[in-house]
Amino acid sequence: MVVTAAPLATRVGVDVLRSGGNAADAAVAVAFSLAVVYPTAGNLGGGGFIVTRMGRESAALDFREVAPGASTRDMYLDAKGNVTGKSLTGALAAGVPGSVAGLWALHEKFGTKPWGELLQPAIDLAEKGFTTDSAFIASESERARLQQFPASAALFVPGGSLVPLGAMWRNPDLAATLRRIAKHGRDGFYTGPTAALVAAEMKRSGGIISAADLKNYEPIWRAPVEFDYRGHHVISMPPASSGGLTIALITNILSGFDLHAMGWHSPEAIRVIAESERAAFARRNTLLGDPAFVKIPTEAFLSPDTAAALRAAIASTRVAAAEPRAPSRERHTTHFSVVDAHGNAIAMTTTLNNGYGSALTVAGAGFLLNDEMDDFTAKVGAINAMGLRQGSANAIQPGKRMLSSMTPTIVLDSAGAPMLVTGASGGARIITGVTQLLINVLDFSLPLGLAEGAPRFHAQDYPDSLLLEKGGYADDLVRALAGRRQHPTFSKSSYDNDDFSYVQSILRVGFRWQGVAEPRGHGLALGY
Ligand code: DON
């Protein structure tokens, strides 16, 4: 079973499984295909995280971008100390990409099919072209960013208009880059002609990623964050993503509440979930960062005592005034989930950060660079594009990974076999989207389609408000919530919005796998 945000990539993954590849093989093929058919988030020039359950072994792979060697703590501040937009658009926004090295490491450890064979579908898609679908189409608001850069404009805004639905689209430069990677492995990206094209782009566009930055990039295998929720064992992503620890803390707090007795989507249940999210995010934002640079208080995040103290505070919270929500931007990331015939599972989330990342395509190489530098704390207390207000633990330092919210997650049954594979896009809303999916499935046993489609809500430590998905809540419930601590604010619309997470999940039901692609998105779940 393969569930991705882009139908063409899902089909590639199923083909790999059908021809005998395992979950890791399929993940490699899917990820490279997403870089072609879902360029807003699929990538060669970004990074991400993978959680695996291969056989009896759980693992987590961190291929997050790192800050270039020449980066500095205040590089995004102007002379007056105000945050500039340089962490969002253009060459300076890019961290050193990790995706190709990450996929190479995944394949080295778990792959069974030849590397080159797994890249071939992506090469073919880029070279021969494909008919654009809804997953591919950019929005008008993204057009202006892409038009700033000639190579991006040529690819995505040819002749001044966005590529329309149903057009034939090719990217020969990307095909050539993929062929170099197919032939030379990670070296096909981090050294040689691809690296030279990146270096030339940096020079032309005022970036600071050096040849040494590329050559020295290393993904890291880490011990996953592991915790129990309602009798199920959960494996998730440790720092440099905040996802696993934050979800662990939220669910540890919730463990002491009987959500079932409160009722699904009752005001009381929503209140305690949202308050648990707020409490956990406050710690996430101030305490977490790259473990190579800051000491991570893992124990505190996982300890029942911390959860109990926070739970007690939630029980007594009072009504407080809401503050306005940070303006949202276009944002994209992508998650996919895979299980193979042996029951191996892979959850992978990857991103360029915002849609099309920095909007800068490396000329001659056909791929976009990320704007992941914006995930760092540009200035303590400032709000970034994901609406997060973070602390100095996440300050910029050369070689450091920026804190992420990506949360690839696998839930095991009592025999240690994967029963739920999930993860999401949506910036900070990844964490709450995955939390809600866990609650819907593990607390309330909702069928996966309902668990995915159920109206979402989101709270983080700042702003002090509860975001409800428009159209999903009855007026009296909204009134009940408004009288409490959180003041609800509404998203623009329930579908086709960028305000909530896109969750892509697989659930074992009896002896079968059930996959559900995010109903708000354009993806596809397919098994064989
Ligand atoms: O790593 C992170 O948390 C962000 N760069 C993710 C961005 C994102 O999910 C945008 N999404 N839709």
Side-chain angles (χ1 to χ4, degrees), residues 49 64 284 331-333 351-354 372 375 386 388 403-406 424-428 430 498:
F49 301 92
R64 183 69 157 168
R284 172 220 183 270
R331 51 186 114 204
H332 289 284
T333 287
T351 193
L352 291 164
N353 193 27
N354 284 291
E372 220 76 59
D375 277 351
M386 299 298 129
L388 292 166
L403 187 64
S404 173
S405 299
M406 289 187 269
S425 62
I430 291 171
D498 59 313

mmCIF file with all atom_site columns, all heavy atoms in Angstrom, residues 49 64 284 331-333 351-354 372 375 386 388 403-406 424-428 430 498, ligand 1:
data_model
loop_
_atom_site.group_PDB
_atom_site.id
_atom_site.type_symbol
_atom_site.label_atom_id
_atom_site.label_alt_id
_atom_site.label_comp_id
_atom_site.label_asym_id
_atom_site.label_entity_id
_atom_site.label_seq_id
_atom_site.pdbx_PDB_ins_code
_atom_site.Cartn_x
_atom_site.Cartn_y
_atom_site.Cartn_z
_atom_site.occupancy
_atom_site.B_iso_or_equiv
_atom_site.pdbx_formal_charge
_atom_site.auth_seq_id
_atom_site.auth_comp_id
_atom_site.auth_asym_id
_atom_site.auth_atom_id
_atom_site.pdbx_PDB_model_num
ATOM   1   N N   . PHE A 1 49  ? 12.672 13.708 6.871  1.00 0.00 ? 49  PHE A N   1
ATOM   2   C CA  . PHE A 1 49  ? 12.832 12.713 7.938  1.00 0.00 ? 49  PHE A CA  1
ATOM   3   C C   . PHE A 1 49  ? 12.097 11.428 7.564  1.00 0.00 ? 49  PHE A C   1
ATOM   4   O O   . PHE A 1 49  ? 11.024 11.479 6.951  1.00 0.00 ? 49  PHE A O   1
ATOM   5   C CB  . PHE A 1 49  ? 12.247 13.246 9.248  1.00 0.00 ? 49  PHE A CB  1
ATOM   6   C CG  . PHE A 1 49  ? 12.884 14.516 9.723  1.00 0.00 ? 49  PHE A CG  1
ATOM   7   C CD1 . PHE A 1 49  ? 12.370 15.751 9.376  1.00 0.00 ? 49  PHE A CD1 1
ATOM   8   C CD2 . PHE A 1 49  ? 14.039 14.477 10.508 1.00 0.00 ? 49  PHE A CD2 1
ATOM   9   C CE1 . PHE A 1 49  ? 12.962 16.931 9.805  1.00 0.00 ? 49  PHE A CE1 1
ATOM   10  C CE2 . PHE A 1 49  ? 14.641 15.650 10.945 1.00 0.00 ? 49  PHE A CE2 1
ATOM   11  C CZ  . PHE A 1 49  ? 14.097 16.878 10.595 1.00 0.00 ? 49  PHE A CZ  1
ATOM   12  N N   . ARG A 1 64  ? 17.757 16.272 7.365  1.00 0.00 ? 64  ARG A N   1
ATOM   13  C CA  . ARG A 1 64  ? 17.409 17.687 7.419  1.00 0.00 ? 64  ARG A CA  1
ATOM   14  C C   . ARG A 1 64  ? 18.544 18.515 6.815  1.00 0.00 ? 64  ARG A C   1
ATOM   15  O O   . ARG A 1 64  ? 19.719 18.174 6.961  1.00 0.00 ? 64  ARG A O   1
ATOM   16  C CB  . ARG A 1 64  ? 17.223 18.063 8.889  1.00 0.00 ? 64  ARG A CB  1
ATOM   17  C CG  . ARG A 1 64  ? 16.790 19.492 9.148  1.00 0.00 ? 64  ARG A CG  1
ATOM   18  C CD  . ARG A 1 64  ? 15.402 19.754 8.688  1.00 0.00 ? 64  ARG A CD  1
ATOM   19  N NE  . ARG A 1 64  ? 14.806 20.898 9.385  1.00 0.00 ? 64  ARG A NE  1
ATOM   20  C CZ  . ARG A 1 64  ? 13.669 21.465 8.986  1.00 0.00 ? 64  ARG A CZ  1
ATOM   21  N NH1 . ARG A 1 64  ? 13.014 21.025 7.932  1.00 0.00 ? 64  ARG A NH1 1
ATOM   22  N NH2 . ARG A 1 64  ? 13.165 22.481 9.661  1.00 0.00 ? 64  ARG A NH2 1
ATOM   23  N N   . ARG A 1 284 ? 8.259  22.942 23.198 1.00 0.00 ? 284 ARG A N   1
ATOM   24  C CA  . ARG A 1 284 ? 8.905  22.721 21.893 1.00 0.00 ? 284 ARG A CA  1
ATOM   25  C C   . ARG A 1 284 ? 9.647  23.975 21.430 1.00 0.00 ? 284 ARG A C   1
ATOM   26  O O   . ARG A 1 284 ? 10.798 23.934 21.031 1.00 0.00 ? 284 ARG A O   1
ATOM   27  C CB  . ARG A 1 284 ? 7.828  22.365 20.849 1.00 0.00 ? 284 ARG A CB  1
ATOM   28  C CG  . ARG A 1 284 ? 8.328  22.286 19.419 1.00 0.00 ? 284 ARG A CG  1
ATOM   29  C CD  . ARG A 1 284 ? 7.336  22.897 18.430 1.00 0.00 ? 284 ARG A CD  1
ATOM   30  N NE  . ARG A 1 284 ? 7.811  22.755 17.061 1.00 0.00 ? 284 ARG A NE  1
ATOM   31  C CZ  . ARG A 1 284 ? 8.589  23.660 16.438 1.00 0.00 ? 284 ARG A CZ  1
ATOM   32  N NH1 . ARG A 1 284 ? 8.982  24.769 17.045 1.00 0.00 ? 284 ARG A NH1 1
ATOM   33  N NH2 . ARG A 1 284 ? 8.992  23.454 15.205 1.00 0.00 ? 284 ARG A NH2 1
ATOM   34  N N   . ARG A 1 331 ? 2.101  27.270 1.934  1.00 0.00 ? 331 ARG A N   1
ATOM   35  C CA  . ARG A 1 331 ? 3.084  26.390 2.558  1.00 0.00 ? 331 ARG A CA  1
ATOM   36  C C   . ARG A 1 331 ? 2.873  24.968 2.097  1.00 0.00 ? 331 ARG A C   1
ATOM   37  O O   . ARG A 1 331 ? 1.764  24.516 1.966  1.00 0.00 ? 331 ARG A O   1
ATOM   38  C CB  . ARG A 1 331 ? 3.010  26.489 4.077  1.00 0.00 ? 331 ARG A CB  1
ATOM   39  C CG  . ARG A 1 331 ? 1.621  26.311 4.606  1.00 0.00 ? 331 ARG A CG  1
ATOM   40  C CD  . ARG A 1 331 ? 1.582  26.549 6.082  1.00 0.00 ? 331 ARG A CD  1
ATOM   41  N NE  . ARG A 1 331 ? 0.788  27.724 6.383  1.00 0.00 ? 331 ARG A NE  1
ATOM   42  C CZ  . ARG A 1 331 ? 0.926  28.442 7.487  1.00 0.00 ? 331 ARG A CZ  1
ATOM   43  N NH1 . ARG A 1 331 ? 1.824  28.139 8.370  1.00 0.00 ? 331 ARG A NH1 1
ATOM   44  N NH2 . ARG A 1 331 ? 0.153  29.472 7.716  1.00 0.00 ? 331 ARG A NH2 1
ATOM   45  N N   . HIS A 1 332 ? 3.947  24.324 1.889  1.00 0.00 ? 332 HIS A N   1
ATOM   46  C CA  . HIS A 1 332 ? 3.823  22.956 1.406  1.00 0.00 ? 332 HIS A CA  1
ATOM   47  C C   . HIS A 1 332 ? 4.983  22.112 1.874  1.00 0.00 ? 332 HIS A C   1
ATOM   48  O O   . HIS A 1 332 ? 6.085  22.588 2.044  1.00 0.00 ? 332 HIS A O   1
ATOM   49  C CB  . HIS A 1 332 ? 3.735  22.922 -0.112 1.00 0.00 ? 332 HIS A CB  1
ATOM   50  C CG  . HIS A 1 332 ? 2.438  23.434 -0.621 1.00 0.00 ? 332 HIS A CG  1
ATOM   51  N ND1 . HIS A 1 332 ? 1.286  22.704 -0.573 1.00 0.00 ? 332 HIS A ND1 1
ATOM   52  C CD2 . HIS A 1 332 ? 2.111  24.624 -1.155 1.00 0.00 ? 332 HIS A CD2 1
ATOM   53  C CE1 . HIS A 1 332 ? 0.288  23.414 -1.080 1.00 0.00 ? 332 HIS A CE1 1
ATOM   54  N NE2 . HIS A 1 332 ? 0.756  24.593 -1.425 1.00 0.00 ? 332 HIS A NE2 1
ATOM   55  N N   . THR A 1 333 ? 4.667  20.892 2.029  1.00 0.00 ? 333 THR A N   1
ATOM   56  C CA  . THR A 1 333 ? 5.587  19.849 2.453  1.00 0.00 ? 333 THR A CA  1
ATOM   57  C C   . THR A 1 333 ? 4.899  18.615 1.957  1.00 0.00 ? 333 THR A C   1
ATOM   58  O O   . THR A 1 333 ? 3.755  18.701 1.515  1.00 0.00 ? 333 THR A O   1
ATOM   59  C CB  . THR A 1 333 ? 5.683  19.858 3.995  1.00 0.00 ? 333 THR A CB  1
ATOM   60  O OG1 . THR A 1 333 ? 6.442  20.993 4.389  1.00 0.00 ? 333 THR A OG1 1
ATOM   61  C CG2 . THR A 1 333 ? 6.339  18.624 4.577  1.00 0.00 ? 333 THR A CG2 1
ATOM   62  N N   . THR A 1 351 ? 10.456 18.087 2.411  1.00 0.00 ? 351 THR A N   1
ATOM   63  C CA  . THR A 1 351 ? 9.973  19.450 2.130  1.00 0.00 ? 351 THR A CA  1
ATOM   64  C C   . THR A 1 351 ? 11.047 20.343 1.542  1.00 0.00 ? 351 THR A C   1
ATOM   65  O O   . THR A 1 351 ? 12.251 20.086 1.666  1.00 0.00 ? 351 THR A O   1
ATOM   66  C CB  . THR A 1 351 ? 9.448  20.102 3.433  1.00 0.00 ? 351 THR A CB  1
ATOM   67  O OG1 . THR A 1 351 ? 8.708  21.273 3.107  1.00 0.00 ? 351 THR A OG1 1
ATOM   68  C CG2 . THR A 1 351 ? 10.573 20.464 4.381  1.00 0.00 ? 351 THR A CG2 1
ATOM   69  N N   . LEU A 1 352 ? 10.536 21.412 0.905  1.00 0.00 ? 352 LEU A N   1
ATOM   70  C CA  . LEU A 1 352 ? 11.382 22.566 0.556  1.00 0.00 ? 352 LEU A CA  1
ATOM   71  C C   . LEU A 1 352 ? 11.074 23.713 1.513  1.00 0.00 ? 352 LEU A C   1
ATOM   72  O O   . LEU A 1 352 ? 11.523 24.822 1.333  1.00 0.00 ? 352 LEU A O   1
ATOM   73  C CB  . LEU A 1 352 ? 11.083 23.000 -0.881 1.00 0.00 ? 352 LEU A CB  1
ATOM   74  C CG  . LEU A 1 352 ? 11.506 22.055 -2.006 1.00 0.00 ? 352 LEU A CG  1
ATOM   75  C CD1 . LEU A 1 352 ? 10.795 22.418 -3.308 1.00 0.00 ? 352 LEU A CD1 1
ATOM   76  C CD2 . LEU A 1 352 ? 13.014 22.103 -2.215 1.00 0.00 ? 352 LEU A CD2 1
ATOM   77  N N   . ASN A 1 353 ? 10.229 23.467 2.501  1.00 0.00 ? 353 ASN A N   1
ATOM   78  C CA  . ASN A 1 353 ? 9.614  24.414 3.425  1.00 0.00 ? 353 ASN A CA  1
ATOM   79  C C   . ASN A 1 353 ? 8.401  25.046 2.761  1.00 0.00 ? 353 ASN A C   1
ATOM   80  O O   . ASN A 1 353 ? 7.387  24.380 2.587  1.00 0.00 ? 353 ASN A O   1
ATOM   81  C CB  . ASN A 1 353 ? 10.583 25.455 3.969  1.00 0.00 ? 353 ASN A CB  1
ATOM   82  C CG  . ASN A 1 353 ? 9.982  26.202 5.159  1.00 0.00 ? 353 ASN A CG  1
ATOM   83  O OD1 . ASN A 1 353 ? 9.128  25.651 5.856  1.00 0.00 ? 353 ASN A OD1 1
ATOM   84  N ND2 . ASN A 1 353 ? 10.380 27.428 5.385  1.00 0.00 ? 353 ASN A ND2 1
ATOM   85  N N   . ASN A 1 354 ? 8.435  26.284 2.369  1.00 0.00 ? 354 ASN A N   1
ATOM   86  C CA  . ASN A 1 354 ? 7.262  26.851 1.692  1.00 0.00 ? 354 ASN A CA  1
ATOM   87  C C   . ASN A 1 354 ? 7.090  26.217 0.313  1.00 0.00 ? 354 ASN A C   1
ATOM   88  O O   . ASN A 1 354 ? 7.998  25.560 -0.196 1.00 0.00 ? 354 ASN A O   1
ATOM   89  C CB  . ASN A 1 354 ? 7.413  28.363 1.562  1.00 0.00 ? 354 ASN A CB  1
ATOM   90  C CG  . ASN A 1 354 ? 7.145  29.056 2.865  1.00 0.00 ? 354 ASN A CG  1
ATOM   91  O OD1 . ASN A 1 354 ? 6.012  29.091 3.325  1.00 0.00 ? 354 ASN A OD1 1
ATOM   92  N ND2 . ASN A 1 354 ? 8.192  29.573 3.496  1.00 0.00 ? 354 ASN A ND2 1
ATOM   93  N N   . GLU A 1 372 ? 14.505 26.490 3.828  1.00 0.00 ? 372 GLU A N   1
ATOM   94  C CA  . GLU A 1 372 ? 14.404 25.909 5.172  1.00 0.00 ? 372 GLU A CA  1
ATOM   95  C C   . GLU A 1 372 ? 15.054 26.772 6.245  1.00 0.00 ? 372 GLU A C   1
ATOM   96  O O   . GLU A 1 372 ? 14.769 26.614 7.437  1.00 0.00 ? 372 GLU A O   1
ATOM   97  C CB  . GLU A 1 372 ? 15.055 24.516 5.179  1.00 0.00 ? 372 GLU A CB  1
ATOM   98  C CG  . GLU A 1 372 ? 14.316 23.488 5.987  1.00 0.00 ? 372 GLU A CG  1
ATOM   99  C CD  . GLU A 1 372 ? 13.071 22.995 5.275  1.00 0.00 ? 372 GLU A CD  1
ATOM   100 O OE1 . GLU A 1 372 ? 13.167 22.460 4.176  1.00 0.00 ? 372 GLU A OE1 1
ATOM   101 O OE2 . GLU A 1 372 ? 11.975 23.164 5.843  1.00 0.00 ? 372 GLU A OE2 1
ATOM   102 N N   . ASP A 1 375 ? 13.099 28.167 9.116  1.00 0.00 ? 375 ASP A N   1
ATOM   103 C CA  . ASP A 1 375 ? 12.697 27.385 10.300 1.00 0.00 ? 375 ASP A CA  1
ATOM   104 C C   . ASP A 1 375 ? 13.573 27.675 11.521 1.00 0.00 ? 375 ASP A C   1
ATOM   105 O O   . ASP A 1 375 ? 13.231 27.321 12.648 1.00 0.00 ? 375 ASP A O   1
ATOM   106 C CB  . ASP A 1 375 ? 12.734 25.879 9.992  1.00 0.00 ? 375 ASP A CB  1
ATOM   107 C CG  . ASP A 1 375 ? 11.466 25.399 9.290  1.00 0.00 ? 375 ASP A CG  1
ATOM   108 O OD1 . ASP A 1 375 ? 10.498 26.172 9.201  1.00 0.00 ? 375 ASP A OD1 1
ATOM   109 O OD2 . ASP A 1 375 ? 11.453 24.244 8.833  1.00 0.00 ? 375 ASP A OD2 1
ATOM   110 N N   . MET A 1 386 ? 5.859  29.788 9.516  1.00 0.00 ? 386 MET A N   1
ATOM   111 C CA  . MET A 1 386 ? 4.956  28.752 10.010 1.00 0.00 ? 386 MET A CA  1
ATOM   112 C C   . MET A 1 386 ? 4.168  29.241 11.232 1.00 0.00 ? 386 MET A C   1
ATOM   113 O O   . MET A 1 386 ? 3.480  28.475 11.896 1.00 0.00 ? 386 MET A O   1
ATOM   114 C CB  . MET A 1 386 ? 5.740  27.484 10.387 1.00 0.00 ? 386 MET A CB  1
ATOM   115 C CG  . MET A 1 386 ? 6.488  26.853 9.234  1.00 0.00 ? 386 MET A CG  1
ATOM   116 S SD  . MET A 1 386 ? 5.393  26.297 7.911  1.00 0.00 ? 386 MET A SD  1
ATOM   117 C CE  . MET A 1 386 ? 6.171  27.042 6.485  1.00 0.00 ? 386 MET A CE  1
ATOM   118 N N   . LEU A 1 388 ? 5.478  30.262 14.000 1.00 0.00 ? 388 LEU A N   1
ATOM   119 C CA  . LEU A 1 388 ? 6.129  29.834 15.241 1.00 0.00 ? 388 LEU A CA  1
ATOM   120 C C   . LEU A 1 388 ? 7.021  30.937 15.796 1.00 0.00 ? 388 LEU A C   1
ATOM   121 O O   . LEU A 1 388 ? 7.739  31.618 15.066 1.00 0.00 ? 388 LEU A O   1
ATOM   122 C CB  . LEU A 1 388 ? 6.979  28.580 14.976 1.00 0.00 ? 388 LEU A CB  1
ATOM   123 C CG  . LEU A 1 388 ? 6.180  27.319 14.642 1.00 0.00 ? 388 LEU A CG  1
ATOM   124 C CD1 . LEU A 1 388 ? 7.090  26.244 14.065 1.00 0.00 ? 388 LEU A CD1 1
ATOM   125 C CD2 . LEU A 1 388 ? 5.468  26.798 15.892 1.00 0.00 ? 388 LEU A CD2 1
ATOM   126 N N   . LEU A 1 403 ? 15.232 23.507 13.477 1.00 0.00 ? 403 LEU A N   1
ATOM   127 C CA  . LEU A 1 403 ? 14.197 22.684 14.113 1.00 0.00 ? 403 LEU A CA  1
ATOM   128 C C   . LEU A 1 403 ? 13.006 22.518 13.169 1.00 0.00 ? 403 LEU A C   1
ATOM   129 O O   . LEU A 1 403 ? 12.563 23.477 12.545 1.00 0.00 ? 403 LEU A O   1
ATOM   130 C CB  . LEU A 1 403 ? 13.740 23.338 15.419 1.00 0.00 ? 403 LEU A CB  1
ATOM   131 C CG  . LEU A 1 403 ? 12.777 22.512 16.279 1.00 0.00 ? 403 LEU A CG  1
ATOM   132 C CD1 . LEU A 1 403 ? 13.436 21.230 16.772 1.00 0.00 ? 403 LEU A CD1 1
ATOM   133 C CD2 . LEU A 1 403 ? 12.288 23.343 17.473 1.00 0.00 ? 403 LEU A CD2 1
ATOM   134 N N   . SER A 1 404 ? 12.503 21.308 13.115 1.00 0.00 ? 404 SER A N   1
ATOM   135 C CA  . SER A 1 404 ? 11.378 20.994 12.228 1.00 0.00 ? 404 SER A CA  1
ATOM   136 C C   . SER A 1 404 ? 10.161 20.560 13.033 1.00 0.00 ? 404 SER A C   1
ATOM   137 O O   . SER A 1 404 ? 10.268 20.240 14.218 1.00 0.00 ? 404 SER A O   1
ATOM   138 C CB  . SER A 1 404 ? 11.798 19.857 11.294 1.00 0.00 ? 404 SER A CB  1
ATOM   139 O OG  . SER A 1 404 ? 10.708 19.404 10.522 1.00 0.00 ? 404 SER A OG  1
ATOM   140 N N   . SER A 1 405 ? 9.006  20.546 12.365 1.00 0.00 ? 405 SER A N   1
ATOM   141 C CA  . SER A 1 405 ? 7.797  19.973 12.954 1.00 0.00 ? 405 SER A CA  1
ATOM   142 C C   . SER A 1 405 ? 7.390  18.671 12.267 1.00 0.00 ? 405 SER A C   1
ATOM   143 O O   . SER A 1 405 ? 6.343  18.111 12.585 1.00 0.00 ? 405 SER A O   1
ATOM   144 C CB  . SER A 1 405 ? 6.633  20.960 12.850 1.00 0.00 ? 405 SER A CB  1
ATOM   145 O OG  . SER A 1 405 ? 6.937  22.139 13.546 1.00 0.00 ? 405 SER A OG  1
ATOM   146 N N   . MET A 1 406 ? 8.189  18.214 11.343 1.00 0.00 ? 406 MET A N   1
ATOM   147 C CA  . MET A 1 406 ? 7.792  17.028 10.569 1.00 0.00 ? 406 MET A CA  1
ATOM   148 C C   . MET A 1 406 ? 7.743  15.792 11.464 1.00 0.00 ? 406 MET A C   1
ATOM   149 O O   . MET A 1 406 ? 8.615  15.589 12.297 1.00 0.00 ? 406 MET A O   1
ATOM   150 C CB  . MET A 1 406 ? 8.731  16.841 9.388  1.00 0.00 ? 406 MET A CB  1
ATOM   151 C CG  . MET A 1 406 ? 8.507  17.919 8.328  1.00 0.00 ? 406 MET A CG  1
ATOM   152 S SD  . MET A 1 406 ? 9.438  17.632 6.816  1.00 0.00 ? 406 MET A SD  1
ATOM   153 C CE  . MET A 1 406 ? 10.936 18.519 7.164  1.00 0.00 ? 406 MET A CE  1
ATOM   154 N N   . ALA A 1 424 ? 2.355  14.024 8.008  1.00 0.00 ? 424 ALA A N   1
ATOM   155 C CA  . ALA A 1 424 ? 1.597  15.107 7.394  1.00 0.00 ? 424 ALA A CA  1
ATOM   156 C C   . ALA A 1 424 ? 2.484  16.226 6.884  1.00 0.00 ? 424 ALA A C   1
ATOM   157 O O   . ALA A 1 424 ? 3.670  16.303 7.219  1.00 0.00 ? 424 ALA A O   1
ATOM   158 C CB  . ALA A 1 424 ? 0.612  15.677 8.417  1.00 0.00 ? 424 ALA A CB  1
ATOM   159 N N   . SER A 1 425 ? 1.865  17.110 6.106  1.00 0.00 ? 425 SER A N   1
ATOM   160 C CA  . SER A 1 425 ? 2.454  18.407 5.806  1.00 0.00 ? 425 SER A CA  1
ATOM   161 C C   . SER A 1 425 ? 1.685  19.452 6.606  1.00 0.00 ? 425 SER A C   1
ATOM   162 O O   . SER A 1 425 ? 0.651  19.143 7.194  1.00 0.00 ? 425 SER A O   1
ATOM   163 C CB  . SER A 1 425 ? 2.334  18.696 4.310  1.00 0.00 ? 425 SER A CB  1
ATOM   164 O OG  . SER A 1 425 ? 0.965  18.741 3.939  1.00 0.00 ? 425 SER A OG  1
ATOM   165 N N   . GLY A 1 426 ? 2.175  20.686 6.617  1.00 0.00 ? 426 GLY A N   1
ATOM   166 C CA  . GLY A 1 426 ? 1.404  21.746 7.261  1.00 0.00 ? 426 GLY A CA  1
ATOM   167 C C   . GLY A 1 426 ? 2.135  22.517 8.337  1.00 0.00 ? 426 GLY A C   1
ATOM   168 O O   . GLY A 1 426 ? 1.492  23.108 9.203  1.00 0.00 ? 426 GLY A O   1
ATOM   169 N N   . GLY A 1 427 ? 3.463  22.529 8.306  1.00 0.00 ? 427 GLY A N   1
ATOM   170 C CA  . GLY A 1 427 ? 4.212  23.310 9.283  1.00 0.00 ? 427 GLY A CA  1
ATOM   171 C C   . GLY A 1 427 ? 3.889  22.864 10.702 1.00 0.00 ? 427 GLY A C   1
ATOM   172 O O   . GLY A 1 427 ? 3.829  21.675 10.993 1.00 0.00 ? 427 GLY A O   1
ATOM   173 N N   . ALA A 1 428 ? 3.625  23.813 11.577 1.00 0.00 ? 428 ALA A N   1
ATOM   174 C CA  . ALA A 1 428 ? 3.310  23.469 12.970 1.00 0.00 ? 428 ALA A CA  1
ATOM   175 C C   . ALA A 1 428 ? 2.057  22.586 13.044 1.00 0.00 ? 428 ALA A C   1
ATOM   176 O O   . ALA A 1 428 ? 1.876  21.808 13.983 1.00 0.00 ? 428 ALA A O   1
ATOM   177 C CB  . ALA A 1 428 ? 3.093  24.744 13.772 1.00 0.00 ? 428 ALA A CB  1
ATOM   178 N N   . ILE A 1 430 ? 1.399  20.136 11.311 1.00 0.00 ? 430 ILE A N   1
ATOM   179 C CA  . ILE A 1 430 ? 1.744  18.723 11.155 1.00 0.00 ? 430 ILE A CA  1
ATOM   180 C C   . ILE A 1 430 ? 1.532  18.019 12.495 1.00 0.00 ? 430 ILE A C   1
ATOM   181 O O   . ILE A 1 430 ? 0.920  16.946 12.576 1.00 0.00 ? 430 ILE A O   1
ATOM   182 C CB  . ILE A 1 430 ? 3.223  18.564 10.730 1.00 0.00 ? 430 ILE A CB  1
ATOM   183 C CG1 . ILE A 1 430 ? 3.435  19.071 9.303  1.00 0.00 ? 430 ILE A CG1 1
ATOM   184 C CG2 . ILE A 1 430 ? 3.669  17.108 10.870 1.00 0.00 ? 430 ILE A CG2 1
ATOM   185 C CD1 . ILE A 1 430 ? 4.902  19.154 8.888  1.00 0.00 ? 430 ILE A CD1 1
ATOM   186 N N   . ASP A 1 498 ? -4.766 26.182 2.885  1.00 0.00 ? 498 ASP A N   1
ATOM   187 C CA  . ASP A 1 498 ? -3.410 25.881 3.329  1.00 0.00 ? 498 ASP A CA  1
ATOM   188 C C   . ASP A 1 498 ? -3.302 26.032 4.843  1.00 0.00 ? 498 ASP A C   1
ATOM   189 O O   . ASP A 1 498 ? -2.228 26.142 5.396  1.00 0.00 ? 498 ASP A O   1
ATOM   190 C CB  . ASP A 1 498 ? -2.410 26.807 2.632  1.00 0.00 ? 498 ASP A CB  1
ATOM   191 C CG  . ASP A 1 498 ? -2.706 28.252 2.919  1.00 0.00 ? 498 ASP A CG  1
ATOM   192 O OD1 . ASP A 1 498 ? -3.874 28.648 2.816  1.00 0.00 ? 498 ASP A OD1 1
ATOM   193 O OD2 . ASP A 1 498 ? -1.777 28.981 3.251  1.00 0.00 ? 498 ASP A OD2 1
HETATM 194 O O1  . DON B 2 .   ? 10.238 21.435 8.910  1.00 0.00 ? 1   DON B O1  1
HETATM 195 C C1  . DON B 2 .   ? 9.217  22.058 9.126  1.00 0.00 ? 1   DON B C1  1
HETATM 196 O O2  . DON B 2 .   ? 8.570  21.955 10.141 1.00 0.00 ? 1   DON B O2  1
HETATM 197 C C2  . DON B 2 .   ? 8.696  22.976 8.055  1.00 0.00 ? 1   DON B C2  1
HETATM 198 N N1  . DON B 2 .   ? 9.755  23.353 7.171  1.00 0.00 ? 1   DON B N1  1
HETATM 199 C C3  . DON B 2 .   ? 7.570  22.317 7.345  1.00 0.00 ? 1   DON B C3  1
HETATM 200 C C4  . DON B 2 .   ? 6.924  23.208 6.361  1.00 0.00 ? 1   DON B C4  1
HETATM 201 C C5  . DON B 2 .   ? 5.601  22.741 5.973  1.00 0.00 ? 1   DON B C5  1
HETATM 202 O O3  . DON B 2 .   ? 5.103  21.741 6.406  1.00 0.00 ? 1   DON B O3  1
HETATM 203 C C6  . DON B 2 .   ? 4.853  23.549 5.033  1.00 0.00 ? 1   DON B C6  1
HETATM 204 N N2  . DON B 2 .   ? 3.629  22.897 4.748  1.00 0.00 ? 1   DON B N2  1
HETATM 205 N N3  . DON B 2 .   ? 2.678  22.653 4.354  1.00 0.00 ? 1   DON B N3  1
#
